[in-house]
């Protein structure tokens, strides 16, 4: 029983470090970007960044922890999961790209077109994979 408690504390400790390190790094990156970019460009960037975590949450579907917890998966299961997540990432890529077009038109900022490609391709698609 002591071993389980020790492993639980160890896991919670490193999970907390990972979570808070991400929050702190995002905070400092936001500070630097707000100084470098200026108000209008930084506002454009933040509008795009609001959408990104929502779509990343959809593409991951909590599959990572499920794979780790299930010890009975074979190579065929992994292949099937990869194909499913690839399809979901592809759909999310298209949806985010299509969703950003009205935002580009509403705000009349051509910068959104380039940001949409960057965020939907690099961030969203590869995080889903």
């Amino acid at each position: 029983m002591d071993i389980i408690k020790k492993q639980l504390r160890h896991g919670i400790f490193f999970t907390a470090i990972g979570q808070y390190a991400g929050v702190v790094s995002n905070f400092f990156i936001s500070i630097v970007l707000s100084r470098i970019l200026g108000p209008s460009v930084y506002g454009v960037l933040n509008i795009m960044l609001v959408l990104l975590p929502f779509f990343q949450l959809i593409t991951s579907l909590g599959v990572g922890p499920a794979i780790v917890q299930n010890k009975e998966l074979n190579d065929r299961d992994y292949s099937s999961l990869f194909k499913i997540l690839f399809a979901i990432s592809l759909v999310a890529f298209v949806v985010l790209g299509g969703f950003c077009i009205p935002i580009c038109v509403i705000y009349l900022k051509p910068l959104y077109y380039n940001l949409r490609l960057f965020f939907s391709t690099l961030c969203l698609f590869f995080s889903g994979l």
Side-chain angles (χ1 to χ4, degrees):
M1 193 65 159
D2 289 334
I3 295 172
I4 293 174
K5 287 182 182 179
K6 186 176 179 181
Q7 288 177 343
L8 181 64
R9 282 190 215 127
H10 192 260
I12 290 172
F13 175 73
F14 282 108
T15 301
I17 286 176
Q19 292 292 325
Y20 290 118
V23 170
V24 169
S25 66
N26 285 341
F27 178 70
F28 285 114
I29 289 171
S30 293
I31 289 172
V32 171
L33 284 177
S34 67
R35 289 293 181 184
I36 292 173
L37 296 179
S40 65
V41 177
Y42 186 68
V44 169
L45 180 68
N46 276 328
I47 288 173
M48 298 300 291
L49 288 175
V50 166
L51 298 174
L52 191 62
F54 174 70
F55 281 99
Q56 282 179 330
L57 182 67
I58 290 172
T59 58
S60 69
L61 297 173
V63 174
I67 290 172
V68 170
Q69 290 178 359
N70 191 345
K71 304 292 183 195
E72 300 173 3
L73 295 175
N74 56 27
D75 289 338
R76 185 173 180 204
D77 296 331
Y78 289 125
S79 176
S80 298
L81 285 169
F82 180 77
K83 289 174 187 172
I84 291 169
L85 288 176
F86 180 81
I88 291 171
S89 296
L90 194 60
V91 168
F93 165 74
V94 171
V95 169
L96 180 64
F99 187 70
C100 290
I101 291 173
I103 292 175
C104 296
V105 172
I106 290 170
Y107 289 103
L108 302 172
K109 298 270 187 186
L111 180 61
Y112 282 123
Y113 290 109
N114 297 332
L115 285 175
R116 136 184 98 89
L117 290 174
F118 173 74
F119 284 127
S120 62
T121 304
L122 291 178
C123 297
L124 184 64
F125 186 69
F126 289 121
S127 74
L129 292 180

